[in-house]
Amino acid sequence: MKVGWIDYLNTLPFGIENFKDLEIVKDYPANLNKLLKDKKIDVGIVSVAEYLESFYQYLIIPDLSISSYKEVGSVIIASDIPIELVETIYVTKESKTSFYLTRVIFEIFLNKKPEYKTFDSYKKRQTVLLIGDKALEFKKDYSYVYDLSSLWFSKTKLPFTFALWCVNKDFFLKNQNRVNEFGKILKKNVESFFSKIDNLDLENWKKDYLKNLKYDFDKESIESVRLFSRYLLQLNIIKTLPDIRFTDGKVITADGTQTFFNFDYNEAYHSTKAGSYTESLYKFVIPCKIDSISKEKGKLDILDVGFGLGYNVAVAIKVAKESNPNVKLNIISVEKDQNFIDRINSMDIPENLKKEFEIVKSLKQSFITLNSKEYLAYKYVDENVNLIVIVGEGREVLQNLAKENYKFDAVFYDPFSPKVNTEMWTFDIFNVVKSLMREEAILATYSAALPVRKGLMEAGFKIGLVEPVGRRSYSTVATLEGDIPPIPEKELERLKNSPLSKPYRDECLCKSKEEIWEEYQRSVNFSS
């Protein structure tokens, strides 16, 4: 495993010299950023700016960073004049994060736009951005020294994170255990270093400097990174708000709620650009008219295909009860992963869904028999909510629900994407789902794929489109006789004329996703 390393004083606590089985690549932060991006190293301690620019390529090793509250000491604007008079700043090429933070401070906090000039080697100038050991060494040469972390804290009341331990996602997927063990040892090294720092053979000023830094990556630090990313977006330095992805699978999404990355499917459970709560509300609950049905009928049967982390169910319960406190909810969810409860229990629940997730966390293991087949199930019942999560292969469970004549007023259709979970997006499974829906029922799904929309139409649904949330594509709703938004003529033309507009097929409801995908590819290539 190739590990990128910055040989600064502030990296000392990570104890890289204790590792014997690594190839260590030492360089400046900016160079290590490029090496990690180009996959010439596998893991590295890199600037937070690099993560924010290329987050889709990386995962963060949890609970590790180089951060600071108030003064950091090693990232400074050193000047011979007061900061409000500065018109030109010479900036080091060593770190993008420090330069970007300088821009935020001047252009957003101070509403100034100075000229930035880069330098390769240090020499005395009127105003200069210095980082690392150079900042510690040369700040004595200037009349005014402005600590960037302190300026950030005075404005935001948050710590600032300068560097993160990141791993290339592709490398991690093939070496999860090795990377996870590496992260554990790094944490132990940091803990061990600070437990004995007073007895180390280090100058006192170095000890004081290191004690002033933060080496964890807690909620406040995460919130600070998210705020920093919003400022960078405002300055047009980055093009989209990143999500915060960790090697333990946790992802902080755009709306601040948490989801998980499923490494088997290589996808997150929710749209990270919309956010877990936002996606559930605007792509499932509102399009299925949970509020109006709860108010008008007072009783609601919901089929949730792909329980995942429980957001769709929790948001539906919240909206339904807000619309009608006496509503009776009968919810059946289908879920393949029997360890879903463990994942939910490790998740940070958003404040506005605490009550609803108490229901989810109160699910008790049980069993349910459908068409003579017994399934593991998790159940919760009170005077208003009857929730059952059935664990099993989705196609089989849906068929057996249909054979038992279950009927629903709303369907949240939320498996993983057609690309990786193709068997749950075929014309044939949509025929089964259709038999589970009442005439006025609405099916909502995030998918905008042409084979999905064509499959729904050929199964007998009329379809409509829902305004985009977190992406450009409109999501999809389908019904037999219910009231849904009309489908634009342009999309109808695409569905009629595009060679890709062919449904996935699984006549026996037993094919693998690979078989379904290969047959679809052959049909598309043959027709084109």
Side-chain angles (χ1 to χ4, degrees):
M1 187 164 72
K2 291 184 178 180
V3 176
W5 178 251
I6 307 164
D7 199 9
Y8 286 169
L9 175 60
N10 59 17
T11 62
L12 189 61
F14 293 118
I16 203 72
E17 70 280 356
N18 297 333
F19 292 92
K20 305 302 181 188
D21 59 343
L22 302 176
E23 182 179 341
I24 307 298
V25 179
K26 294 182 180 181
D27 215 323
Y28 291 122
N31 293 339
L32 289 179
N33 292 344
K34 189 173 188 311
L35 289 172
L36 189 65
K37 189 171 186 176
D38 293 343
K39 299 185 179 180
K40 293 180 179 177
I41 58 175
D42 307 310
V43 184
I45 182 167
V46 295
S47 70
V48 73
E50 172 61 23
Y51 178 81
L52 297 178
E53 288 181 329
S54 304
F55 67 94
Y56 50 86
Q57 193 172 319
Y58 307 132
L59 296 169
I60 301 168
I61 298 178
D63 304 323
L64 292 166
S65 76
I66 298 177
S67 304
S68 68
Y69 269 108
K70 301 184 180 180
E71 290 189 6
V72 63
S74 57
V75 183
I76 61 172
I77 297 291
S79 182
D80 293 326
I81 59 175
I83 195 169
E84 60 269 17
L85 300 180
V86 170
E87 298 294 337
T88 301
I89 307 171
Y90 285 85
V91 298
T92 174
K93 291 181 179 179
E94 291 180 26
S95 170
K96 278 195 294 189
T97 297
S98 301
F99 174 51
Y100 291 170
L101 179 55
T102 299
R103 288 194 59 185
V104 168
I105 288 168
F106 275 88
E107 297 176 38
I108 296 179
F109 295 176
L110 300 176
N111 197 27
K112 291 173 62 71
K113 198 152 188 178
E115 181 182 7
Y116 304 105
K117 295 183 178 181
T118 59
F119 68 85
D120 291 309
S121 58
Y122 172 77
K123 69 177 182 179
K124 182 76 165 60
R125 296 173 172 91
Q126 186 180 65
T127 304
V128 63
L129 166 65
L130 296 174
I131 71 165
D133 297 349
K134 288 187 181 70
L136 298 170
E137 181 179 355
F138 296 117
K139 63 183 178 182
K140 65 182 184 300
D141 297 341
Y142 293 86
S143 303
Y144 298 90
V145 175
Y146 299 96
D147 188 288
L148 267 62
S149 180
S150 181
L151 292 174
W152 172 266
F153 183 83
S154 67
K155 183 71 174 180
T156 67
K157 299 299 182 286
L158 291 169
F160 189 83
T161 295
F162 289 94
L164 295 166
W165 278 97
C166 293
V167 55
N168 273 303
K169 186 173 76 171
D170 292 343
F171 179 83
F172 177 77
L173 293 176
K174 297 174 183 177
N175 300 274
Q176 294 184 40
N177 291 338
R178 190 174 184 189
V179 175
N180 289 335
E181 184 61 26
F182 175 69
K184 288 178 185 176
I185 296 172
L186 284 176
K187 285 181 66 176
K188 287 180 182 177
N189 287 349
V190 171
E191 292 168 3
S192 174
F193 180 89
F194 283 103
S195 70
K196 59 187 180 184
I197 187 171
D198 291 330
N199 299 318
L200 294 177
D201 185 19
L202 276 177
E203 297 166 70
N204 286 333
W205 72 267
K206 291 183 179 180
K207 294 178 183 179
D208 292 340
Y209 165 72
L210 292 169
K211 287 178 182 179
N212 195 45
L213 296 178
K214 268 170 50 68
Y215 286 88
D216 60 355
F217 193 44
D218 57 15
K219 287 183 179 180
E220 279 194 314
S221 298
I222 292 169
E223 178 55 34
S224 180
V225 169
R226 295 181 67 239
L227 178 60
F228 186 50
S229 72
R230 291 196 289 272
Y231 286 137
L232 297 191
L233 186 67
Q234 183 178 332
L235 293 173
N236 205 32
I237 293 172
I238 59 175
K239 304 303 180 186
T240 187
L241 282 175
D243 46 75
I244 312 298
R245 308 178 178 190
F246 296 94
T247 54
D248 61 4
K250 290 182 180 179
V251 182
I252 311 299
T253 66
D255 66 2
T257 54
Q258 191 181 102
T259 188
F260 278 86
F261 197 87
N262 186 297
F263 294 114
D264 292 329
Y265 284 104
N266 199 18
E267 288 185 351
Y269 281 85
H270 299 89
S271 165
T272 57
K273 292 187 183 303
S276 307
Y277 171 75
T278 301
E279 180 176 54
S280 293
L281 181 63
Y282 289 102
K283 293 185 182 179
F284 295 97
V285 174
I286 289 177
C288 283
K289 303 184 178 180
I290 299 303
D291 56 347
S292 60
I293 298 173
S294 299
K295 187 179 293 182
E296 294 163 11
K297 294 179 64 174
K299 181 178 179 298
L300 185 57
D301 296 302
I302 300 173
L303 174 62
D304 174 47
V305 182
F307 183 76
L309 304 177
Y311 271 101
N312 292 343
V313 167
V315 176
I317 293 171
K318 178 180 177 65
V319 169
K321 286 190 170 186
E322 287 175 348
S323 180
N324 179 359
N326 298 314
V327 68
K328 306 296 183 184
L329 295 172
N330 180 49
I331 305 170
I332 293 183
S333 288
V334 182
E335 175 56 44
K336 187 177 181 180
D337 182 5
Q338 66 181 25
N339 297 315
F340 71 95
I341 287 288
D342 293 338
R343 191 172 285 110
I344 291 170
N345 284 334
S346 70
M347 186 171 73
D348 292 330
I349 307 300
E351 285 298 324
N352 64 335
L353 291 175
K354 292 274 190 189
K355 187 187 300 183
E356 290 74 24
F357 267 100
E358 282 305 312
I359 291 175
V360 173
K361 290 186 173 186
S362 298
L363 286 162
K364 301 298 182 186
Q365 185 173 318
S366 182
F367 294 91
I368 186 172
T369 301
L370 300 172
N371 191 36
S372 303
K373 166 92 177 191
E374 187 176 68
Y375 293 94
L376 174 66
Y378 291 82
K379 298 182 180 181
Y380 172 89
V381 180
D382 65 24
E383 60 182 11
N384 292 102
V385 178
N386 180 19
L387 170 60
I388 303 174
V389 182
I390 303 171
V391 179
E393 200 277 328
R395 291 171 296 183
E396 181 185 282
V397 175
L398 292 174
Q399 288 179 85
N400 285 331
L401 283 170
K403 288 172 182 175
E404 294 279 0
N405 295 314
Y406 280 83
K407 294 289 181 182
F408 298 93
D409 302 295
V411 177
F412 303 154
Y413 205 80
D414 197 16
F416 285 102
S417 76
K419 183 178 180 180
V420 299
N421 202 183
T422 322
E423 68 272 21
M424 292 300 295
W425 298 93
T426 65
F427 158 84
D428 308 275
I429 197 63
F430 291 148
N431 255 332
V432 175
V433 175
K434 180 178 71 172
S435 70
L436 288 163
M437 295 171 62
R438 297 189 172 106
E439 293 293 307
E440 302 292 320
I442 295 173
L443 176 151
T445 181
Y446 63 87
S447 180
L450 284 174
V452 170
R453 289 177 175 168
K454 194 60 172 278
L456 286 165
M457 291 175 69
E458 292 195 4
F461 289 97
K462 64 177 181 178
I463 68 171
L465 306 188
V466 176
E467 288 290 330
V469 177
R471 61 177 186 173
R472 293 180 181 178
S473 302
Y474 288 69
S475 53
T476 307
V477 286
T479 188
L480 300 175
E481 300 294 340
D483 180 23
I484 59 174
I487 185 167
E489 193 63 35
K490 185 177 180 181
E491 181 63 10
L492 280 175
E493 285 297 313
R494 274 211 322 146
L495 286 163
K496 181 179 179 181
N497 298 320
S498 172
L500 301 177
S501 181
K502 292 182 176 294
Y504 303 117
R505 293 304 310 265
D506 180 19
E507 295 86 350
C508 65
L509 291 168
C510 64
K511 294 177 183 175
S512 70
K513 64 183 178 184
E514 291 81 11
E515 289 172 323
I516 297 166
W517 183 252
E518 287 170 7
E519 287 180 17
Y520 169 75
Q521 293 282 70
R522 283 198 298 270
S523 72
V524 168
N525 291 334
F526 178 78
S527 64
S528 59

